Amino acid sequence: MVNGARPFLRIRGVGRRFGSGPAEVTALDSVDTTINAGDFTVVLGASGSGKSTLLNIIGGMDRPTTGSVVADGTELTELSDRRLTDYRRTRVGFVFQFYNLVPNLTAVENVALAASLVMPMRDAGTLAEELLTEVGLGHRLAQFPRNLSGGEMQRVAIARALAKRPPLLLCDEPSGALDSVTGQHVLAQLQRTARDTGTAVVVVTHDSTLADAADHLIRLADGRIVTDEHEPAPALLVPPASSTAAS
Ligand SMILES: Nc1ncnc2c1ncn2[C@@H]1O[C@H](COP(=O)(O)OP(=O)(O)OP(=O)(O)O)[C@@H](O)[C@H]1O
Ligand SMILES: [Mg+2]
């Protein structure tokens, strides 16, 4: 989304250092960018370039050493630990490389458990079914994680992250543990989620083939932004037909 873009996050002069003295590492240095609602934002960079550090800061899991992060009008760097935890719990969904589903709960129960944190259980079950249907798993509701493929488990994890209807969805290497076909299915789902729901979706990856599909592409190198571009007509990711049929 470029025309009529609605900023969700304004990141200004953000730096993050770890350690001190000779052991000091600068993980992020003078990072400036704006993340819009409804954009599929892709953060590319080599290992150690600062991708996870940036995601942790905008997700309220870490604080910058310097600079400002304003989320939906709130300066995160000025929040107490408790308020920052509230921000993370209520406003941010997370999807990680490994899905971390509860093994003895079915797909729908995994999602409903997350939804029940923010709504009555009765509504949570209904929402969980809707969300799983949206990610193409309406036929897998009652399956346990052990009976699902990696891509299916990751789509359950996406549905779970969306259960609290977060305005910001952060995904760290969401296809990192998947083969390329299955990974594309997951990434197509994330791109569609941004378009359909207006969620600001941020995907961190070192898979540069994703660059063409991004509404907003950020490249990091050694903790600095080297590319920050908006693409008015990104390539649409299509779930591979074979994987849809197989899932
Ligand atoms: N808690 C920490 N303590 C010390 N150094 C850290 C810490 N977290 C990250 N770093 C360092 O900061 C730099 C950026 O790390 P980060 O995890 O953000 O990289 P990344 O781009 O996510 O890499 P990868 O693709 O391997 O996940 C690295 O040099 C890393 O070693
Ligand atoms: Mg990382």
Side-chain angles (χ1 to χ4, degrees), residues 7-94:
F8 181 77
L9 275 167
R10 293 181 199 274
I11 300 162
R12 297 291 180 267
V14 162
R16 179 68 167 104
R17 289 187 302 276
F18 292 105
S20 59
E24 185 174 286
V25 175
T26 301
L28 291 177
D29 188 9
S30 309
V31 167
D32 289 304
T33 192
T34 299
I35 308 282
N36 293 323
D39 267 2
F40 182 60
T41 297
V42 174
V43 181
L44 279 177
S47 181
S49 59
K51 304 182 299 294
S52 295
T53 303
L54 180 62
L55 217 59
N56 291 343
I57 287 173
I58 64 184
M61 292 194 288
D62 188 19
R63 293 176 184 271
T65 317
T66 55
S68 155
V69 182
V70 175
D72 216 7
T74 301
E75 175 59 73
L76 297 186
T77 62
E78 290 170 0
L79 293 181
S80 64
D81 287 350
R82 190 173 161 181
R83 298 289 299 279
L84 191 62
T85 302
D86 282 348
Y87 163 76
R88 182 170 70 231
R89 284 208 185 123
T90 60
R91 313 286 281 154
V92 190
F94 293 96

